[in-house]
Amino acid sequence: MGACSVAPVIVVLAGGVGAARFLRGLLAVTAPGEVTVVGNTGDDITLHGLRVCPDLDTVTYTLGNGIHEEQGWGRADETYRVATELALYGAPTWFRLGDRDLGTHLFRRTLLDDGMPLSEVTRRIAERWRLPVTLLPMTDDPVETRVVAGGREMHFQEYWVGLHAALPVDRVWLAGDCTPAPGVLDAIANADTILLPPSNPVVSIGTILAVPGIRSTIERANAPVVGVSPVIGGAPVRGMADRMLAAIGVDCTAAAVAKHYGAALLDGWLVDDVDAAAVPEVEAAGIACRAVPLWMNDAESTAAIAKAALALAR
Ligand code: GDP
Ligand code: CA
């Protein structure tokens, strides 16, 4: 339009595997440098003295082409020699760290011990991987998602990875005081478009929105906010997100997730073709809604989802 030729800014709130796949599609339909990712750190956990950031690293390895493609997380060509040694010492084995992956965690530990904030550490890691996005952790403060399941309180990772989400969750929350990492609120306030990828609404997007200031800044931002349903045909796609939705009393349907986010947050919502009947219900809640194929099966189908989200935002 005007003389101003500043590239548009797209802010994406990201969990792990679902977000990383979506981001690949988004990068295929946007210009370099347009995308800023605010990553979930509620999954972060200290293991063997190392700070593990599963969601930040899933985004990094995926966009840096170092991801284990079939698995969706962890490094390609991974080995577990160190984990095997640790197991022989009787160290806990429910969360195995691969040898290549350990390189990232050792590097992160060293910089954190030097007093560097997580956001700067994340920038250094992103540099190595030549990430085509700006990746910001939601907060520099050490927070963690906790759950109560089977009468016991534990770290979300212990529930998800250790127990394979085998029990119903009675309570889930983000523990620890925190403020948004530097750059997060500015990115949101100045965004032209804000996207919620098909990430877990509770323990990925939910935790990011739980950082004081983030939700209110998104609600006040001028940018349209468009989300992609992680639920197709009443089931989470590849995963156990239904457990977490049940924990907060939200039905596992595309419409219920949209209404959970609410019209104050969301301007638009994409549901899968099989959920086309949910479109009027979502629109009645004040959220523009379209039904398109939402399976991120390959580069083309994922790019088409990103394109549909951007089109709805416009
Ligand atoms: P996590 O942190 O690794 O669990 O990853 P995210 O929170 O980013 O994403 C997990 C969510 O992605 C799950 O709830 C799935 O329902 C959703 N998901 C995974 N694959 C697909 C897909 O192909 N299409 C859609 N619409 N959602 C997907
Ligand atoms: Ca995660």
Side-chain angles (χ1 to χ4, degrees), residues 15-19 55 198-200 204 229-230 232 236-238 241 294-296:
V17 178
D55 284 357
S199 280
N200 191 304
S204 292
S229 178
I232 296 179
V237 189
R238 315 179 176 102
L294 288 190
W295 281 91
M296 301 187 287

Side-chain angles (χ1 to χ4, degrees), residues 78-214:
E78 189 57 290
T79 52
Y80 288 87
R81 289 174 169 230
V82 174
T84 303
E85 288 296 316
L86 284 167
L88 292 171
Y89 284 110
T93 55
W94 61 269
F95 200 110
R96 292 204 321 154
L97 297 171
D99 300 326
R100 287 179 190 270
D101 196 28
L102 276 165
T104 304
H105 307 314
L106 288 165
F107 181 66
R108 180 186 287 122
R109 177 78 273 160
T110 305
L111 298 187
L112 289 172
D113 284 348
D114 285 347
M116 198 181 277
L118 180 64
S119 49
E120 178 59 18
V121 176
T122 303
R123 201 186 62 74
R124 296 284 188 96
I125 293 172
E127 235 168 47
R128 174 213 154 163
W129 291 97
R130 301 179 192 281
L131 287 197
V133 301
T134 302
L135 176 59
L136 306 172
M138 67 188 199
T139 180
D140 278 339
D141 301 311
V143 287
E144 58 184 51
T145 301
R146 313 258 330 154
V147 305
V148 173
R152 190 163 68 83
E153 182 187 325
M154 65 196 94
H155 192 294
F156 167 69
Q157 293 292 356
E158 191 186 342
Y159 171 74
W160 200 250
V161 179
L163 299 181
H164 305 289
L167 300 166
V169 173
D170 299 316
R171 203 156 90 77
V172 52
W173 70 102
L174 182 67
D177 292 332
C178 63
T179 56
V184 168
L185 296 186
D186 279 350
I188 292 168
N190 297 323
D192 297 289
T193 310
I194 299 172
L195 299 178
L196 310 191
S199 280
N200 191 304
V202 186
V203 291
S204 292
I205 307 286
T207 49
I208 299 172
L209 294 174
V211 177
I214 291 190

Side-chain angles (χ1 to χ4, degrees), residues 61-85:
Y61 296 158
T62 302
L63 302 186
N65 297 317
I67 199 77
H68 187 303
E69 294 287 347
E70 294 71 42
Q71 207 166 245
W73 52 271
R75 292 290 313 276
D77 299 319
E78 189 57 290
T79 52
Y80 288 87
R81 289 174 169 230
V82 174
T84 303
E85 288 296 316

Side-chain angles (χ1 to χ4, degrees), residues 33 35 37 45 63 103 110 193 207 214 217 254 268 270 277 298:
V35 179
V37 178
I45 185 167
L63 302 186
T110 305
T193 310
T207 49
I214 291 190
T217 304
L270 294 181
D298 51 33

